[in-house]
Amino acid sequence: MTYDVESVRARFPSLATGTAHFDGPGGSQVPAAVADAVRDAMTSSLANRGVVTAAERAADAIVLDARRALADLLGASPEGVVFGRSMTQLTYDFARTLARTWSPGDEVVVTRLDHDANVRPWVQAAEAVGAVVRWVAFDPATGELDDVADALSERTRLVAVTAASNLIGTRPAVARIADLAHERGALCYVDGVHLTAHHPVDVAAFGADFFACSPYKFFGPHCGVVAGRPEVLADLRPDKLLPSSDAVPERFELGTLPYELLAGCTAAVDFIADLVPSTGTRRERIVASLTAVGEHEDRLRERAEAGLSELPGVTVWSRAGSRTPTVLVTFADHAAADAYRYLAGVGVNAPAGAFYAIETSRWLGLGDTGGLRVGLAPYSTEAEVDRLLAGLAAFLRPA
Ligand SMILES: Cc1ncc(COP(=O)(O)O)c(C=O)c1O
């Protein structure tokens, strides 16, 4: 499949500035089509969801379209797609709701590879009900997650695991982990925020009971999504207002949905489906596009890693066998924050930090400081990788 990066780039107004964006793991650039969809929704005749006026029906259609779009993107059921303000907010909500079904002595499993948004909500919810937290670590030398099986018991109620680390890119074997959780009668909550931007996702094949993602990481607006298994959602009783809908998934969506952002989500999914010329259902086109994106990004990652390995005093921490194109580096004699500032001065955006993957950064021995994160995106080019490498070489050159 030919991936025409220049024609993809032409659809992003912000890339005209010439800045090389390696900051995608924090949030991608946005194509014009998504911004247009947001504006069109806001300037159209729109009311609260309903069936009487055309404006009400328009709002209803936006919501249902967005659920179908996310379901196509994730290989999930539209009836289980819950929208919220962010992945963090949704995960806190689900943690509090699920914790009501836990008893003292029950166990919750979290990992040191996860962003804190898939750690702290579970740790705090467990504490509130006297449940025990079991930690799964990873090998700092390889970046591979330890065996989750060792943390499971008959008391395990939930396993929270990332589909990909936003700091070092490791992709744990989520389907196996979900199977292990289910064998113990536990649920599996997967943080798909980082993975969804880079690879085709198949929530059903993962076996995830909940799969969380954030459309602003894949060209969409700033909001969050959890694709839950509808039959699991049906058994949960979140706090909600008396007059609001008790249907699934509306039961989990507090207040009025941001219709304009949902219209932007649908546009983002359609944009992904169109990244490479292909035919078939939208789901099939999404899989074709993200497969091509994965290959494009892997090529660039190999180029970046080869160049980084030739620079003096550079340590690359992204080493897992299966990983996203997100490369964390540190420098023997320089602070990553200084490299970040230097690169910004030459039009290359590659931020430094731990990016809320605080457990991961500490486990690597990098404290709360982390490193320089080079995140490749579908709009990244070889020339940009070369600019990054040249910028770092200049930064590291003795004065
Ligand atoms: C892996 C991962 N999980 C969760 C989050 C939190 O997402 P949100 O900003 O939607 O709360 C992020 C954000 O960077 C992330 O990278």
Side-chain angles (χ1 to χ4, degrees):
M1 179 77 60
T2 322
Y3 183 74
D4 184 351
V5 68
E6 289 307 329
S7 83
V8 169
R9 289 174 65 82
R11 299 162 73 185
F12 288 82
S14 66
L15 296 180
T17 60
T19 298
H21 282 279
F22 294 103
D23 47 8
S28 75
Q29 300 303 297
V30 175
V34 170
D36 289 349
V38 172
R39 188 205 47 223
D40 290 351
M42 292 201 84
T43 52
S44 67
S45 172
L46 208 61
N48 277 347
R49 291 180 75 181
V51 293
V52 176
T53 70
E56 291 169 351
R57 288 195 297 274
D60 202 49
I62 286 177
V63 175
L64 298 179
D65 282 352
R67 292 203 208 287
R68 277 191 290 269
L70 264 296
D72 280 354
L73 179 70
L74 302 175
S77 163
E79 293 77 35
V81 172
V82 179
F83 287 101
R85 197 182 69 69
S86 63
M87 179 276 184
T88 303
Q89 173 254 307
L90 286 167
T91 305
Y92 262 112
D93 285 352
F94 275 107
R96 292 190 192 107
T97 300
L98 283 161
R100 292 196 182 144
T101 68
W102 303 339
S103 309
D106 279 349
E107 296 177 5
V108 175
V109 176
V110 295
T111 92
R112 300 212 187 269
L113 258 189
D114 271 84
H115 184 287
D116 214 47
N118 202 29
V119 175
R120 223 52 55 188
W122 305 112
V123 169
Q124 291 164 358
E127 276 166 10
V129 299
V132 176
V133 177
R134 300 262 177 242
W135 288 88
V136 180
F138 66 94
D139 181 349
T142 62
E144 303 286 1
L145 190 66
D146 292 353
D147 195 346
V148 172
D150 295 341
L152 300 176
S153 80
E154 296 312 318
R155 297 297 305 263
T156 310
R157 303 298 311 278
L158 182 109
V159 176
V161 65
T162 190
S165 157
N166 65 312
L167 194 65
I168 55 173
T170 302
R171 294 181 58 189
V174 170
R176 175 173 180 272
I177 294 169
D179 278 352
L180 289 169
H182 293 152
E183 278 167 20
R184 301 287 185 150
L187 294 171
C188 187
Y189 191 101
V190 176
D191 177 355
V193 172
H194 184 59
L195 182 69
T196 306
H198 301 291
H199 289 276
V201 164
D202 189 339
V203 169
F206 280 169
D209 299 290
F210 307 89
F211 185 92
C213 66
S214 305
Y216 73 94
K217 309 284 191 186
F218 49 86
F219 314 134
H222 288 85
C223 58
V225 174
V226 167
R229 280 195 11 236
E231 60 276 26
V232 174
L233 297 180
D235 282 345
L236 296 178
R237 296 273 144 211
D239 280 333
K240 63 173 278 302
L241 302 183
L242 190 60
S244 69
S245 171
D246 195 36
V248 170
E250 280 82 358
R251 188 188 292 177
F252 299 91
E253 296 173 324
L254 305 181
T256 310
L257 284 171
Y259 303 122
E260 65 281 6
L261 303 188
L262 267 47
C265 286
T266 302
V269 171
D270 285 334
F271 178 84
I272 291 171
D274 264 359
L275 278 174
V276 295
S278 63
T279 52
T281 63
R282 179 167 59 184
R283 170 76 188 156
E284 287 163 348
R285 291 186 295 117
I286 289 167
V287 171
S289 283
L290 287 174
T291 302
V293 163
E295 288 163 6
H296 170 74
E297 292 179 338
D298 274 346
R299 270 195 305 277
L300 296 183
R301 175 176 59 74
E302 281 161 20
R303 189 180 185 91
E305 286 171 350
L308 287 166
S309 71
E310 284 172 14
L311 294 174
V314 171
T315 302
V316 175
W317 296 91
S318 304
R319 302 166 182 163
S322 176
R323 61 188 191 273
T324 59
T326 300
V327 185
L328 185 77
V329 294
T330 54
F331 308 94
D333 301 316
H334 299 272
D338 289 340
Y340 169 25
R341 269 187 291 273
Y342 181 89
L343 289 172
V346 295
V348 175
N349 291 6
F355 307 100
Y356 281 34
I358 198 75
E359 298 290 343
T360 315
S361 182
R362 290 178 182 173
W363 200 252
L364 288 171
L366 301 176
D368 295 357
T369 309
L372 187 83
R373 184 175 66 175
V374 177
L376 295 156
Y379 42 73
S380 302
T381 65
E382 282 186 8
E384 287 182 328
V385 170
D386 293 347
R387 274 170 63 196
L388 169 90
L389 294 170
L392 282 177
F395 168 70
L396 294 169
R397 203 166 289 135

